[in-house]
Each structure stands twice: as C-alpha cells, then as structure tokens.
C-alpha cells in the first residue's frame, strides 16, 4: 500500500555560464499546498540568489508516495516486457506502455497469440474501457487533451 | 529570472517485477487541477492501470514545475561555476536530525580571503541562514528535515568546495 512521505521536496535547478547545472533541494511538510510551497521557494531563493552567481532556471515541487512493504509479484513478472496501448484523436496519436503485462490479456490462438491484446474477451475489453475512461483527465506535456479513441494494444519486448 | 509555470502536473509511477527490476512510466495532468484533484485523477488512472500488470507499484511521484522559458536570456557572469559550492549544514529539533542545502557557484567575494571558509559575518549570508530557519511566512512554512522536523540552527560555517565536472 502506498503511503505518503513525511515531506515534499523542492528541487532547484541552477545553471552557470557554461550550461553546467546543479540541483540543490530542501524539504517542507508533505501537507504544504502548492501555493504555499512556491511562496516558501520564493522566500528562500530571494535570499539564496544573492550568494550565487549562477542563475535559477527551474523549480520542481515533488510529492512522493512509497510502498514500504510491497507484495511480491508473481513468477514470470518482467518489467522489460510492456503492453503498448495506442490512442488516437484526429491525426494525433499517443501511447502508454504498461510494464509486465498479465499474459491473460493477450490472444491465445492465431498468428498474434501472446502478442495482441484480446479485445474479444469481455473482461479484457472492460479493463481497457476503464483505463480509457480514466485517461480522459490526462493531457500531453503541452497540456493538450489526450486522445480518447483506443486503437489497439500489443506486447512490446 | 523569468520562471514560468509548467502546463501540467507530471506523474511518475515506478513498478518492480519479481526480480526487483524497476520500470518507470509517466503521464501528465492539467496544472489547473488542485493538489487534491490531481491526486484523485492520478489515483483513478493508477487503479485502472494496475489490473493490467503483474508488477508491483512501489512508488509514485506527483510533480509541479516552473522553468526558465527565456534561458539563456539571463546569462550568468563569466565567474559562475556550479562545481564551486558551499553546503549549509542545519540541525533539526530532534536529536541527530540534520539536513543541508547546497548553494552552487558561491560568490568568491563571500569567502574569507586566504581561506575556504564562508564569511558568516556577511549580511547576505546571515540573511539566508535566518530565512532558511524561518521564512517568516508562518508555522509549517519553513524548511524541515526529511523526517519533517523543524530546523533550529546552523551547525558549522560552510566551506567552499569543488565537485567533479558532470555537465557543461
């Protein structure tokens, strides 16, 4: 079960004239809101920057959760194997790669046995429909809406 | 400095297989979501990803960023060098609780002449130490140790050091 860390990390990115970078960090209570964390970051860096002749080029607020007692995956679970799921909207395509996919997701007969997602299986189709629905909140790195039409899925080695 | 808000929350999931091999995948959520809303959306996606995988989800990161969108618009001076740094060691309110913050490219004018020691009498240095101990924004809004313990004092005067080149 995932539990939150005690603190969130504020990671600063400094750059010098030669484009070398350094990433000092400090911590705040996990419950600190984003706006409060940015306020603290601004207060700290306001007094930090006069000590340095590098420039601040980035900031990350990082909240983390960890499973301190993770369950042992079943025999055969291999994160080097992925399930690639492809989505489309108009002429935009996106994909998501799920590690160590369950073998029960794939076709069991034919040329694509063990490779292609078995969408004829209603249980598999339901799992994919559920994920497609929850991905409606997801956007790409620019903030544009994630494509919502599921195209196909298969195993990637 | 012209830091701009990232348009997204960045979610990163770390899975491990039976042999302990990690695999990380990520996706983005709109930055307009509150922390609670982003957490809920992340939980919904994760709950629908997990039934597809035999691996165990061992860690999750939710990240909100700002970045310099004009870089290198603010070009640092020739004297800047992030490999030159000082580390400020702070002690927490609980015995043996410590944390530190590194300041890269420390200005040479702040180092005591003929030593490698930071000049603690300089008002810029004392102002930074005071702010790091208490930002003045209010309770719970100042840096803490990794175990969420308040910081109470600077332990030693920082010493200027150099690290090996890793970039640039």
């Amino acid at each position: 079960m995932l539990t939150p860390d005690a603190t969130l990390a504020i990671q600063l990115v400094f750059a010098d004239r030669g484009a070398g970078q350094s990433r000092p960090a400090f911590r705040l209570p996990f419950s600190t809101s984003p706006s409060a964390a940015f306020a603290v970051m601004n207060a700290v860096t306001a007094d930090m920057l006069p000590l340095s002749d590098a420039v601040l080029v980035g900031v990350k607020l990082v909240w983390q959760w960890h499973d301190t007692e993770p369950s042992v995956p079943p025999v055969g679970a291999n994160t080097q194997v992925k399930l690639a799921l492809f989505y489309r909207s108009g002429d935009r395509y996106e994909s998501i790669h799920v590690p160590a996919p369950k073998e029960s997701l794939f076709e069991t007969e034919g040329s694509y046995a063990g490779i292609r997602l078995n969408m004829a299986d209603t249980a598999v189709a339901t799992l994919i429909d559920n994920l497609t629905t929850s991905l409606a909140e997801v956007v790409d790195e620019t903030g544009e809406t994630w494509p919502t039409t599921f195209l196909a899925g298969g195993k990637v080695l | 400095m012209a830091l701009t808000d990232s348009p997204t929350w960045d979610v990163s999931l770390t899975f491990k297989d039976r042999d302990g091999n990690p695999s990380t995948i990520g996706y983005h959520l709109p930055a307009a979501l509150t922390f609670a809303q982003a957490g809920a959306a992340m939980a919904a996606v994760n709950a629908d990803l997990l039934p597809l995988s035999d691996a165990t989800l061992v860690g999750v990161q939710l990240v909100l960023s700002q970045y310099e969108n004009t870089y290198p618009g603010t070009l640092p001076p020739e004297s800047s060098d992030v490999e030159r740094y000082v580390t400020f060691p702070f002690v927490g309110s609980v015995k043996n609780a410590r944390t530190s913050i590194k300041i890269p490219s420390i200005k040479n004018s702040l180092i005591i002449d003929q030593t490698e020691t930071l000049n603690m009498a300089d008002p810029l240095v004392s102002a930074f130490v005071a702010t790091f101990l208490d930002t003045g924004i209010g309770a719970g809004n100042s840096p803490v140790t990794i175990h969420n313990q308040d910081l109470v004092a600077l332990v030693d005067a920082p010493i200027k050091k150099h690290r090996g080149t890793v970039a640039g």
Side-chain angles (χ1 to χ4, degrees):
Chain A
M1 180 181 168
L2 294 171
T3 55
D5 289 356
T7 54
L8 73 93
I10 298 185
Q11 300 175 350
L12 309 172
V13 184
F14 283 83
D16 63 23
R17 194 177 182 91
Q21 291 194 343
S22 179
R23 297 167 185 263
F26 62 95
R27 292 183 172 274
L28 292 174
F30 188 89
S31 59
T32 307
S33 70
S35 59
F38 278 123
V40 172
M41 182 278 293
N42 285 327
V44 169
T45 56
D47 282 329
M48 190 176 182
L49 291 173
L51 307 185
S52 174
D53 50 17
V55 293
L56 185 66
V57 295
V59 177
K60 285 185 176 180
L61 310 183
V62 183
W63 287 265
Q64 293 192 99
W65 292 256
H66 285 98
D67 192 341
T68 52
E69 296 179 0
S71 58
V72 178
V75 173
N78 181 357
T79 53
Q80 294 181 45
V81 180
K82 317 283 187 194
L83 166 63
L85 301 171
F86 296 94
Y87 291 83
R88 176 184 178 184
S89 181
D91 58 356
R92 287 190 58 233
Y93 295 85
E94 293 284 356
S95 64
I96 191 165
H97 291 67
V98 182
K102 293 180 185 293
E103 282 300 320
S104 58
L105 298 171
F106 300 103
E107 294 179 2
T108 55
E109 296 177 349
S111 303
Y112 295 103
I115 301 294
R116 187 163 59 188
L117 202 58
N118 186 5
M119 291 301 287
D121 183 320
T122 54
V124 174
T126 299
L127 290 174
I128 298 303
D129 285 347
N130 291 344
L131 178 61
T132 302
T133 299
S134 58
L135 286 175
E137 283 268 31
V138 170
V139 295
D140 67 15
E141 67 276 10
T142 67
E144 292 294 317
T145 306
W146 179 273
T148 51
T149 304
F150 176 70
L151 283 181
K155 188 183 290 183
V156 179
L157 299 175
Chain B
M1 185 177 77
L3 294 181
T4 300
D5 292 336
S6 165
T8 64
W9 289 91
D10 303 321
V11 180
S12 175
L13 311 178
T14 301
F15 292 83
K16 281 192 175 175
D17 63 21
R18 190 175 177 90
D19 298 329
N21 299 309
S23 178
T24 300
I25 65 173
Y27 56 86
H28 309 279
L29 295 167
L33 297 180
T34 65
F35 178 78
Q37 289 169 332
M42 176 181 77
V45 173
N46 296 355
D48 289 328
L49 277 171
L50 291 177
L52 304 177
S53 176
D54 273 337
T56 299
L57 182 63
V58 295
V60 174
Q61 274 192 354
L62 186 58
V63 178
L64 194 59
S65 319
Q66 292 181 335
Y67 59 94
E68 169 68 79
N69 65 346
T70 58
Y71 183 76
T74 311
L75 200 59
E78 181 63 32
S79 59
S80 62
D81 180 2
V82 295
E83 294 161 13
R84 181 184 72 246
Y85 68 94
V86 295
T87 300
F88 287 77
F90 291 92
V91 64
S93 55
V94 176
K95 187 180 179 184
N96 295 330
R98 294 198 173 199
T99 194
S100 62
I101 178 85
K102 183 185 291 185
I103 297 190
S105 196
I106 190 75
K107 287 181 177 172
N108 282 318
S109 59
L110 297 172
I111 304 298
I112 298 172
D113 191 26
Q114 298 186 335
T115 77
E116 303 283 34
T117 306
L118 192 67
N119 181 5
M120 297 304 295
D122 191 290
L124 291 177
V125 175
S126 51
F128 169 72
V129 172
T131 297
F132 204 76
L133 290 171
D134 182 1
T135 59
I137 297 175
N141 288 317
S142 292
V144 294
T145 70
I146 194 168
H147 298 299
N148 194 15
Q149 293 140 355
D150 288 338
L151 304 180
V152 294
L154 183 70
V155 180
D156 296 308
I159 305 296
K160 183 180 77 172
K161 295 183 177 177
H162 286 81
R163 65 165 167 81
T165 299
V166 294

